[in-house]
Amino acid sequence: MGEADCDVNTANGHKGTPTSQDDDKVYVNGVEGNGENGSVTRQAESAIKEEHNIENIFHVSIILPHQPYNIQIPVSLQGQVQDLRSSIVEQPGTFQYTCFHLEHNGQRINDFTELSDVKGLAAGSEIRLVEDPYTEREARMHVVRIREIIGAAGNRIDTVQGIQAGRSLHEFVSPWSGSEAASTTKHKSASSNLTADANPLTHFDFDGPASIQTLLPPTQDSLPKTIKSLCVSPWNPPPPLFRQKGDLLYLQLTTNEGEQFQITSHVSGFFVNRSSNSRFDPMPKTTPKTATAHSLLTLIQSLSPSFSGTFNAVLETNNKRDPLATFQVTSAIPSNPWLVSAPDISAAAHQPDISRSQETYLLSGVDNTETLRDWNEEIQSTRELPRETVQDRVFRERLIAKIFSEFNDAATRGAALVARGEVAPLNPTESKDAQIFVYNNIFYSFGADGVGTFTSEGGDEAARVAVGKDVAGVRSVNQLDIPGLATPGTIIVDYLGRRLVAQSIVPGIFKQREPDEPQVDYGGVEGKDVVADNEAFVSTFSQVSKALKVKRHPVWDKEGKKHMLEGSVETKGLLGTDGRKYILDLYRLAPLDISWLDAYWTDTPCPNQKPQERNYPHRMSVLRPEIIEAYWRLKMSEYVKSELGKRKNSPEEVSNSKDSESSKKATSPEDALTGTVSASVTKPDSVEAPKDGGRVDISAFSYLLNPDVFCGQAPQTAEEREDWTNDEKDVRAVADYLHQSIIPELMHDLKEGEVGFPMDGQSLSRLMHKRGINIRYVGKLASLTETESPRLQALKRLAEQEMVARAFKHVANRYVKDLPLVMATACLAHLLNCLLGTNFNSSPKPQLDEDLQYWYKEADLSFTEVTPKTLHTDIEMQTQLRYRYTLESTWVSNIRPAQLLREIALKLGLQLVAKDYQFTTARDQRPADESQLTNGTTPKSLTNDASTNGAPTKKKKKRTGGDSSPTLSNATAASSPALTFLADDIVNIVPVVKDSSSKSVLAEEALEAGRISMMQNQKELGQELLLESLSLYEQIYGILHPEVARVYHQLAMLYYNMEEKDAAVELAHKAVVISERTIGIDADETILSYLNLSLFEHANNNTAVALACMRHALELWKIIYGSNHPDCITTFNNAAVMLQHLKFFHESRVWFEKSHAISEQMSGKGSINTATLAFQLAQALALDQDHKGAVNRMREAYSTFHHKLGAEDRNTKEADSWLDQLTMNAVSIAKHAKDVQAQRVRRALFTPRVTLRTQPQAAVGRSSAESLAGHGPQTSGALDNRSIDELMRYIESSGDAARKTPPRKRKNPRTRRI
């Protein structure tokens, strides 16, 4: 590894991964298989071979009609002609071409075919670009493109994408070398020029307040203006006479020289006409003679002398930026920052641009008909594309991802219009909650119980949850990708307090059938009273049921007639008028969580019940699919063990044992996946291995659940009642498994540091969902933290913050949903003041324009009566009602305003102006809670300047500073307002979207196959598969997509483990940029990407850049969590290692001290983790010439190792050896000349090159081993296994011999203790 390599795995409490004795085995989905014959690997290998048979990358010559006349373009026969066209128009010399066709050997090439269909196309072939006559649409698209290229489009006002949507800060974090990120440039010179007072971590305050500047890009110079304006002329559209002559559009151009030109867009190109602002004459102007061209770009160049210079300046400026930071996000909804800089929202930032209002016409035409699409037909037709070959699958999945992305964008825009009341309902006489809408061929309805469907289940609350579960169910079915089964495009949008459901229109869903004919063809028609069963749906529905662990079961209608259904009675099948089978209403794919309902729901609640005994808001509390899958694997494991027990007593088994052993390697995972399973997996999600390597036939195993138990069904016969009772027992067993095993295991893992600790509410929710725990159990997690464990106290604080944020969301939605948009910000600002601003103004008053009250007399203004006390009471009631958790009486004073404000803003889609929000008055500033881990206590904490290091200290003055929550601080303090939040501080509200898009199965298969090959040490094949998977992700999703960011992150870690550092750094940089733009600039995944990018840059000898990335990640960490996150020990150790690498020994010591101090708080002074860090700190102190402190810390480490591990443990012996040597050196230095001995000790003691190693940050909910993907050699030991004498000889011999023989890698002391 690098010169400064340190493993701090034990420091964070992460256990090392024991080496498996069966290294040649590979496990796929919990099933053992032989790697060389693995089905996933074989499929991926065949896919690569198939692609290699097609793929032949070569260059072709493109003959152009104008300069530069000839360009070379790389092509692949597996590509499309459209891909070649895109490559041509993106070249700097061919920007002007948009309307053309391609010819090869004099034959026109069809634009919608594959290049492999072009006869005779080979390396060196010439393809001629031939300009075509324009149509009106092509002319409009040409104008839009040219405006974009020359920078004349201006800033758009988007109703869906928020202010500064898709923002990236990556290029401002560290001074990259031009457009090249540090992925390709070695910054050794930057590292060597750093000084101790000027390194990126200088003046970092561990416990200081968060700075909003971390989230804001620096002020940038605007791009040079190429022209003054380019817009559609007032003379547009052309009269019929001139349209017949070929006129398509009339444009108006104003150059930088101040000249104005009227331009005609003709079928043959563009020319300057004779018109003026007051006279219409579209005939060509005779002078200048060059005022005509096929491309508008060429015409502008000939009309404006300064255009070429400014246009080149624009191109040069854009080329200096990272392309990933400038590309438009089209394949996903870009992330919206919750804080935006004031200059971007000021009135001065809004510049006049008449063409801004004309873009709709340019994009959609006069009648806006070009954007109207039959979404359902497009979605279903795309799914029905062939999928036989790899190329078919790539093409199909790419189109599926594209159509879902476009549908999600269109549906979100329509939902925002519906919520604002700008779309007329189809049934205006109904109540508002029951109204339905159609806009842009998309069907909209509210997530409320407008027609009484969920009256017995909880009304509006149940309906809101049901539509959310429906989207999740549609996503699950889409992921199964069952041929012959269709689902409508579906998303839900939370906006302005309301939840809207947007769906593609299913053909025939509005059709009125005959009176005796049910409205649906399968499932419950009118609740449970009328049930339809159609044999045509059984085959497809059964595939869904089997995959989702749903049992085929009977249900009974109101007449007692029995119907056998493959899914829940609520799940419906509809035969559309297009002949397709649609599956609808998928909110009950899983059974109810009966344990929760038994405790917190009664069908006939007593009105006099106390608030804490009140019913849960709804009865739609279903189990998550993850817990069902986990329990299914547990039962399968029990089944396999039972079969193995029977086999041991079978005489036939004894005679066949040798045959079984010899055939073990001949059986592939494909066999296991289709009917057999190896019993060699010891993890909970698989089955345990017998020593004889036998296999068990699992075809007879079945464990399916009935989703309709506890839902009012009435079995008719004794046998039916018995079966129903057994089904109920099965469901109860899953619920009990959740309470008795899953939740305790999660608490144990978080307490012991086995997995990455959540950073914010989103990561906590994601962790719970991954384990199969519903968010309603977050209160149970908080109640289980009643212990002295600091890690669990941190979890409690995070869980309480999440509950308060969610409770506030429900309260705010109740007040906002019936308000017009113009009043929504005043309402939200008042509620925020009542929650977060009471220490600044204890009696906030709402800011509401009286004129608005006059115009909106029917608006519900009950929010004006809200006071801090009533809001706090509402939040306490919501927390008790929804999470069965009672907040402490001091919860208001314990909240962290900055972090809670962020959580609320993300949940409600708020964008606030970035400024210094005053949460408290100056005299009420409380002492900084430097640990930020316990409620109401302020333990001692180390600063950057002092440390006890085991020595007695005098009492010091208590440090004063900011609030226990880092308050948002700006460089220039604003004048204190009367209120913390003003209505104008909420500058935008964006929709919060949940979609049903599925993931690419093909890309995931290739990635998994690459991992398997790497595990089997098939490096060449593994790398090929990994690169192929990356190519598939990019092709299918497009570059700027969250899934692509995650695969970049995973591949970067894999390449880092393979010592491919350059590749790891390059991928990590891309992961950071894409994460920022699509997930969030301060999301926990983005922070993790920055931390690992820092690690990779350091390993690549770019330590200065690594420290800059780490500083940015730590500042983001403060914003979303605060100081002293339980997992920051790893990061602080990595920082210390990097500083030692730069010879900043004192600064490194400070970071080691902080890491050790947090470990004492988290794990206790006598833990192995703390002892390991004390060992490292002692070495750092010796390097910093603090020999007494070094002896004290090493003595602490030795004492702990001796007590915990015993005198014979290697760690104990090493600590003892180091303690003796350090003591001897301390005595020797006191007796001899200080200058000579100081030099000797500095060189002789701990050397980063030999002993320290940086450690990747564990992802939330994953162990360090999982973060490292479980591949490649790992060194989890943090202690050096060589004596000081050996290190002295190493130094004195310049380390030549030591470099040839690297130190033996050590294991985690906690692992060796077992």
Side-chain angles (χ1 to χ4, degrees), residues 577-763:
T577 55
D578 57 357
R580 298 186 178 99
K581 300 172 186 175
Y582 291 88
I583 184 170
L584 308 172
D585 293 348
L586 299 172
Y587 53 84
R588 282 277 305 281
L589 291 177
L592 294 173
D593 184 358
I594 189 59
S595 296
W596 182 270
L597 292 178
D598 283 346
Y600 306 119
W601 177 270
T602 53
D603 292 327
T604 56
C606 176
N608 297 324
Q609 285 178 312
K610 297 181 180 179
Q612 61 267 24
E613 299 173 348
R614 192 177 300 168
N615 264 1
Y616 190 61
H618 57 83
R619 202 177 184 273
M620 294 299 299
S621 54
V622 299
L623 295 168
R624 291 193 60 84
E626 295 89 349
I627 187 64
I628 295 175
E629 180 69 21
Y631 193 73
W632 181 87
R633 290 181 180 276
L634 175 68
K635 300 302 291 184
M636 184 181 70
S637 175
E638 294 175 355
Y639 172 81
V640 170
K641 291 177 183 178
S642 174
E643 292 298 311
L644 289 174
K646 296 177 183 178
R647 182 178 298 180
K648 288 181 181 179
N649 300 325
S650 171
E652 181 181 356
E653 174 63 23
V654 177
S655 62
N656 292 337
S657 60
K658 293 184 179 180
D659 297 336
S660 174
E661 183 70 24
S662 62
S663 63
K664 176 181 178 181
K665 294 186 178 180
T667 308
S668 70
E670 187 173 10
D671 301 327
L673 292 172
T674 55
T676 62
V677 61
S678 169
S680 61
V681 185
T682 58
K683 296 183 179 180
D685 60 347
S686 50
V687 287
E688 186 175 349
K691 294 182 179 179
D692 62 355
R695 289 183 172 276
V696 176
D697 182 5
I698 64 169
S699 59
F701 171 75
S702 176
Y703 192 85
L704 306 176
L705 298 175
N706 183 345
D708 286 326
V709 294
F710 307 111
C711 292
Q713 291 293 327
Q716 302 297 307
T717 66
E719 182 180 359
E720 292 172 349
R721 285 191 288 271
E722 182 180 358
D723 291 342
W724 202 261
T725 301
N726 292 332
D727 289 347
E728 291 178 344
K729 290 180 180 179
D730 289 341
V731 172
R732 285 190 182 277
V734 179
D736 293 341
Y737 181 64
L738 172 65
H739 286 265
Q740 298 171 9
S741 297
I742 298 299
I743 293 178
E745 285 175 6
L746 175 61
M747 298 299 294
H748 174 270
D749 290 346
L750 291 174
K751 178 181 178 181
E752 300 299 326
E754 301 289 348
V755 297
F757 201 87
M759 301 182 188
D760 61 353
Q762 289 182 321
S763 56

Side-chain angles (χ1 to χ4, degrees), residues 228-301:
K228 287 188 175 180
S229 69
L230 174 63
C231 59
V232 177
S233 169
W235 299 116
N236 204 67
L241 174 63
F242 292 97
R243 179 173 293 277
Q244 293 177 165
K245 294 183 178 181
D247 291 359
L248 303 174
L249 296 172
Y250 297 130
L251 308 174
Q252 184 171 294
L253 168 70
T254 304
T255 65
N256 283 343
E257 292 79 12
E259 295 186 83
Q260 187 178 89
F261 298 93
Q262 299 286 337
I263 297 175
T264 296
S265 172
H266 192 264
V267 292
S268 61
F270 296 83
F271 60 83
V272 178
N273 61 41
R274 300 176 184 174
S275 297
S276 66
N277 289 334
S278 58
R279 185 174 63 89
F280 177 65
D281 185 357
M283 301 306 295
K285 199 171 185 178
T286 55
T287 57
K289 296 181 180 179
T290 58
T292 181
H294 187 266
S295 171
L296 181 59
L297 181 65
T298 306
L299 179 63
I300 297 175
Q301 286 176 328

Side-chain angles (χ1 to χ4, degrees), residues 843-862:
S843 301
K845 301 299 180 183
Q847 293 177 304
L848 190 61
D849 191 339
E850 294 182 358
D851 291 339
L852 293 179
Q853 298 183 47
Y854 172 79
W855 289 109
Y856 294 97
K857 296 178 180 178
E858 297 181 358
D860 183 3
L861 301 182
S862 57

Side-chain angles (χ1 to χ4, degrees), residues 1077-1130:
R1077 302 198 65 196
T1078 61
I1079 302 176
I1081 57 174
D1082 59 351
D1084 64 292
E1085 294 181 69
T1086 302
I1087 294 176
L1088 183 64
S1089 295
Y1090 265 113
L1091 290 174
N1092 284 337
L1093 171 60
S1094 172
L1095 174 72
F1096 304 156
E1097 286 285 13
H1098 167 67
N1100 215 25
N1101 296 321
N1102 300 329
T1103 304
V1105 173
L1107 291 176
C1109 294
M1110 182 171 289
R1111 174 68 179 262
H1112 183 69
L1114 290 173
E1115 296 289 356
L1116 292 176
W1117 216 335
K1118 279 187 180 182
I1119 290 174
I1120 75 169
Y1121 178 84
S1123 300
N1124 299 349
H1125 185 274
D1127 282 354
C1128 67
I1129 300 172
T1130 301

